[in-house]
Amino acid sequence: MLIPRTAIFVRRGDEYLLLKGAATKRLWAGKYNGLGGHIEQGEDVLSSARRELLEEAGITAELWLCGTIIVDAGDVGICLFVVVGENPQGEVKSSLEGTPEWVKLEALPHLPVVEDLPILLERIHRISIGNPPFSARSFYKDEQLVVLFAD
């Protein structure tokens, strides 16, 4: 069984809008990640991403599906739809989820980030709108994260 979720990465040149998780979050408190969340019943992927982006950052953007990742999380996994946003509109605002911040790619090694973020952003940064979406799966082997992209 898979739970559908979105991961949104709005970009502006070599900067990405990332969410620094609120201190009250159960998972990834204080760590940088993409925006996103569950796809609600009755939503398609892009509608869910638009809603999450507005709820978590207060902005809109032109969104497109960049890839999918099947995350092996045990009995119930996650089907993660990776969405990229361009041409952001509006003023970025914080939410209960955390604080959105524009982060340059070269700053990632110096920030507390979720484990797969550098891997995903490196792949996303090479993709342009109109390219076919990537497909990947992630899992842990010997307590090490493995992300395999289908080529």
Side-chain angles (χ1 to χ4, degrees), residues 9-11 46 50 53 60-64 83-89 129:
F9 298 96
V10 178
R11 62 185 177 190
L46 293 180
R50 283 185 202 97
L53 185 58
T60 61
E62 296 171 21
L63 302 177
W64 51 278
V83 175
V84 170
E86 296 177 332
N87 302 313
Q89 302 291 313
I129 191 166

Side-chain angles (χ1 to χ4, degrees), residues 139-146:
F139 56 94
Y140 282 89
K141 182 176 181 181
D142 300 325
E143 298 184 26
Q144 293 288 89
L145 176 67
V146 177

Side-chain angles (χ1 to χ4, degrees), residues 22-135:
T24 56
K25 287 188 68 134
R26 185 177 63 85
L27 295 175
W28 305 306
K31 292 191 175 186
Y32 288 84
N33 199 358
L35 292 86
H38 289 90
I39 298 173
E40 304 294 339
Q41 186 172 3
E43 286 183 321
D44 59 72
V45 171
L46 293 180
S47 295
S48 173
R50 283 185 202 97
R51 176 184 53 76
E52 291 285 354
L53 185 58
L54 193 58
E55 287 175 2
E56 294 185 0
I59 67 167
T60 61
E62 296 171 21
L63 302 177
W64 51 278
L65 180 65
C66 182
T68 57
I69 303 172
I70 302 300
V71 180
D72 183 350
D75 292 339
V76 178
I78 297 167
C79 180
L80 189 62
F81 293 93
V82 179
V83 175
V84 170
E86 296 177 332
N87 302 313
Q89 302 291 313
E91 184 179 328
V92 174
K93 299 175 182 163
S94 296
S95 71
L96 294 176
E97 294 293 322
T99 304
E101 297 177 19
W102 290 103
V103 175
K104 290 190 177 288
L105 276 179
E106 63 263 14
L108 283 182
H110 310 289
L111 296 172
V113 298
V114 297
E115 196 172 6
D116 62 351
L117 184 66
I119 298 165
L120 293 179
L121 284 181
E122 189 272 326
R123 183 71 173 223
I124 290 166
H125 197 67
R126 297 188 323 236
I127 297 176
S128 300
I129 191 166
N131 290 146
F134 67 79
S135 178

